[in-house]
Structures are given as C-alpha cells and as structure tokens.
Amino acid sequence: MNQLRKDYLFTSESVSEGHPDKVADQISDAILDACMEQDKESRVALETLCTTDFILLAGEITTTANVDWERIARGVVRDIGYTDPELGFSADTAEVLLKIHRQSPDIAQGVDAGKNKAQGAGDQGMMFGFACTETDALMPAPIYYAHRIVAELARLRKTEPEKYGFLRPDAKSQVSVRYENDRPVAVDAIVVSTQHTEDTPHEKIESLVRKVAADVIPAGFLTERTVFFVNPTGKFVIGGPAGDTGLTGRKIVVDTYGGRGLHGGGCFSGKDPSKVDRSAAYICRYIAKNIVKAGLADRCQIQVAYAIGVAEPVSIFVDTFGTGKVGNHALEKIIREVFDMTPAGITETLGLKERKGWTYRQTAAYGHFGREGFPWEATDKVDALLEAAKRYAD
C-alpha cells in the first residue's frame, strides 16, 4: 500500500471455525497438541483435507506419542458442530483416511541439535510480524473486527442453541474500514455470510448480524452510511466441507493481519515449533507488539529470514512506516540484543513446547494474533526495549 496516501478504505475478512479450511486447520493442530502432550520433541507437519463426509490426514510425523488420529479428527468435527449426517459432513459418518509417515532424515539432520551444533531452522523462508495502535489489541482494525463478528456468532450458536439454533457452523465476515489521515474512523461496509437452517427467514439472520456488529464494533464506527450485505446470494444452507473442500493452511491472511501486514507465505497449523514458518512468525508478532506498546513506534513490521539447518536468522528487517521514535536500523540492532531469534531460543521464550494455559488448536480459528492468552501477545519486553533504546537515542 502507498504509505503517502492518508485517506482510503481497507478491507479484511475472517472465517468461522466451521469454515472448511478452518476445520482442516483445527484437526491438524489438535493432532499436534496430542503428539506434544506425550512427546514435546515431536516433529509434526500434518495436512488435513476435508470434503463431503471424508477426511484425509497426510504428512510427516515423528513422535513417541501413541495417538488415535481418527478419534481426534472426529472429536474436532463434533466440537465445531458438524453432527448431522444430513448436512453431508458429520463427525460420526465421515470416512477418515490416514497417509502419515516419518519426517525426512535429510531434514532432521539439519534441524536436530547436536553436541557441537545448535538446533537449526526447519526450513528456509521469511516470516513477518506486525502491530499498530489502531485497536487495544494492537491489531489492524479491519481484521480485528472481522474476527470478532464470526467469533460472536459462533459463541451464540453454541451457548444459546434454543435461541440461535438456526445458525450452522460455516460463516464468513468482511469489514471495510474508512481511514482518514491514516487512522480508522468508521466502518463503511460489512459482509457476512452465515450458514443457516432451511426455513430461517433472511430478515432474522440480518437482524442478528446487525446486532452482533453493534456489540463488537466500537460506538461511532457504525454510522448511517454503513452498508450491510448479509447472505448476499439469498441462501446459505449447504456449507462446511460438504459445500466446499477444506485444506490446512489456506487461510494464511485470515490467520495473520488481514492483508494489512505482509505475509511470508508459510502456513502455521499442523506444524511443530521447529518449523520457523510458525515459531518465527509468533516471535515477530511478539517483537512488533512490544515495540509498539513501548511507544517506540505507532506501527511496526518485522521481517526475519532463515536458512534451513542454520540457527541464527540470515536477516532482520524493521519498518515503522515513518512512525518510529528510534531509527529502523537501530531497532534491528536492539532486537538482536533483546530477543533470541534462534529456533531453540524462540521456543523457550514463548514456551511453545509446554503450551501453559493454551493449545495450538485454539490458535486455529479467529486469528493467531490479537487474542489474549497466547504468550506472543504478552508485552513483557517493554522495559528491556526502552533500556536498550536509550543507547541509540539521537
């Protein structure tokens, strides 16, 4: 985006836990959790595909854990709410096919730590982290509000079925935010498509969506100019994997910053912490959020890059989009001083093997960032950053 432009519209989308791709993400991460519960050194790279009454689990898993893959997959589908065989995808009737083998030894020899060798990155690639002052969560406004809409619809569906039982698990949202002088000031448009029972009047769904939007979007952002598009095709009865095939890792922009921040291209779900696609993206969010919370920038984007089998990143790049109180080059040096960016260091800093109070499956719907309870959302490095920044003050 042209940073010289101050007045514009920006749109982001989210999807619910019942979206086919998110069903796949959650199954992959639930199996990762099960492996790491018994064996913290598990190496997992699991892809899930789901379509009409069919689930395929495929990938590489090296673990000492004894895991019932099929039971976990069915349990996730049941928790999401796909329990009616007539919908074409059900926890009890879906066929589950397994195509799982061990991690390649060629990869393992580069990743495994040895007597005189630090743990190397699980792959090459670049990862990004982003934070800004647009919301209290230090997330971009469009993706933050898009997540909250579908999350609230799911909460109502699950906690008050007698009142909202007409909702079914699959849903998508889209929020267009108007910016003036580069700050969010209003929501111009909201698009929501939510799966529903056959006999539900459109007016009932639209009324609920408008109520949910008013509940989760700050007062003043919804105006008389805000336009709602609710189930624009007029009907959304067939949904979930029966309506569209789902695949792990196909909602990477939804998972991160809704397009507001850059993305390196690698997905997160189904990958253990040795895969820097996931762990380095988490540490980059952690760093960017702490920089913004410390007041060192109003907007911060971090890029880091790795070579497979090499512990230290090959590059670190910071962009504060002209909002920094410290120069970008100085911030790059500060980051190396304050944060351990090796795969082992990231894993230890964020507790990615222990997962105290959280699970990987919990990350797999409604965004990996901007939600309380995950260690990369902590702002406990503010003082260390401010102390280091004193040495680079003009």
Side-chain angles (χ1 to χ4, degrees):
M1 182 170 57
N2 184 350
Q3 294 303 318
L4 297 177
R5 187 175 178 186
K6 298 295 185 180
D7 300 335
Y8 52 90
L9 285 172
F10 196 88
T11 301
S12 296
E13 74 159 348
S14 180
V15 298
S16 74
E17 64 200 64
H19 185 280
D21 295 329
K22 282 289 143 199
V23 173
D25 283 342
Q26 289 170 89
I27 291 173
S28 292
D29 271 342
I31 288 174
L32 169 62
D33 282 324
C35 290
M36 296 194 70
E37 188 68 30
Q38 299 178 45
D39 177 8
K40 290 183 173 60
E41 304 306 319
S42 296
R43 293 287 167 78
V44 179
L46 182 71
E47 314 291 341
T48 301
L49 178 148
C50 49
T51 187
T52 303
D53 249 2
F54 178 79
I55 300 169
L56 169 66
L57 307 178
E60 302 82 48
I61 298 180
T62 301
T63 184
T64 62
N66 182 15
V67 176
D68 187 338
W69 322 109
E70 181 174 336
R71 180 187 64 79
I72 291 173
R74 293 189 189 279
V76 170
V77 173
R78 185 173 292 106
D79 289 346
I80 292 169
Y82 288 113
T83 57
D84 184 352
E86 293 186 6
L87 297 180
F89 184 76
S90 168
D92 296 317
T93 59
E95 176 189 0
V96 179
L97 180 64
L98 308 177
K99 293 292 182 180
I100 297 171
H101 55 276
R102 293 174 62 85
Q103 183 184 59
S104 162
D106 293 348
I107 295 175
Q109 70 178 354
V111 177
D112 292 342
K115 184 176 181 181
N116 298 307
K117 175 182 173 296
Q119 177 187 341
D123 202 352
Q124 71 176 47
M126 69 283 193
M127 302 84 205
F128 289 89
F130 185 83
C132 61
T133 57
E134 293 180 15
T135 62
D136 291 342
L138 303 186
M139 285 288 287
I143 186 66
Y144 185 67
Y145 300 135
H147 282 323
R148 294 193 68 190
I149 289 171
V150 285
E152 178 63 6
L153 286 171
R155 188 192 71 80
L156 293 173
R157 173 176 61 85
K158 288 184 164 185
T159 61
E160 300 183 55
E162 69 287 347
K163 188 174 182 181
Y164 301 108
F166 61 90
L167 295 174
R168 284 175 173 166
D170 197 357
K172 301 178 76 171
S173 66
Q174 185 173 286
V175 176
S176 300
V177 174
R178 178 171 296 281
Y179 287 75
E180 294 179 0
N181 197 28
D182 218 19
R183 298 295 303 172
V185 297
V187 171
D188 262 37
I190 294 174
V191 183
V192 175
S193 294
T194 180
Q195 189 183 14
H196 58 88
T197 56
E198 180 78 52
D199 58 351
T200 307
H202 179 84
E203 296 76 15
K204 186 175 185 178
I205 300 170
E206 179 162 356
S207 175
L208 176 59
V209 168
R210 287 178 177 270
K211 177 186 181 301
V212 166
D215 287 343
V216 303
I217 295 175
F221 270 64
L222 295 179
T223 72
E224 60 183 16
R225 293 178 55 188
T226 304
V227 179
F228 282 80
F229 299 91
V230 179
N231 284 7
T233 65
K235 184 179 181 180
F236 187 7
V237 174
I238 301 172
D244 188 14
T245 298
L247 186 65
T248 300
R250 209 159 52 178
K251 285 293 177 285
I252 57 177
V253 174
V254 170
D255 283 343
T256 52
Y257 308 102
R260 190 82 170 140
L262 296 178
H263 196 294
C267 82
F268 303 155
S269 290
K271 295 180 180 178
D272 72 84
S274 73
K275 280 73 171 175
V276 284
D277 277 339
R278 183 172 213 158
S279 56
Y282 287 174
I283 200 75
C284 284
R285 163 64 179 174
Y286 181 53
I287 295 168
K289 186 173 182 180
N290 274 271
I291 287 173
V292 171
K293 185 68 174 181
L296 296 176
D298 293 332
R299 186 186 304 169
C300 182
Q301 183 164 266
I302 312 289
Q303 185 208 52
V304 65
Y306 290 87
I308 188 170
V310 179
E312 292 288 345
V314 298
S315 69
I316 296 175
F317 173 77
V318 176
D319 189 354
T320 56
F321 307 93
T323 71
K325 312 304 185 291
V326 178
N328 291 337
H329 291 300
L331 282 173
E332 290 163 8
K333 294 177 182 178
I334 290 168
I335 288 169
R336 288 189 181 270
E337 290 181 19
V338 175
F339 299 92
D340 186 342
M341 299 293 286
T342 65
I346 294 169
T347 299
E348 181 177 357
T349 297
L350 299 179
L352 298 181
K353 290 181 180 179
E354 291 75 17
R355 299 161 300 129
K356 293 181 179 178
W358 61 278
T359 66
Y360 284 108
R361 181 187 164 186
Q362 289 171 338
T363 70
Y366 312 118
H368 291 245
F369 308 125
R371 299 163 59 203
E372 294 299 320
F374 299 130
W376 49 90
E377 293 298 318
T379 52
D380 54 352
K381 293 295 185 181
V382 166
D383 290 343
L385 286 168
L386 290 173
E387 184 63 30
K390 291 177 183 178
R391 298 192 292 274
Y392 296 91
D394 294 333

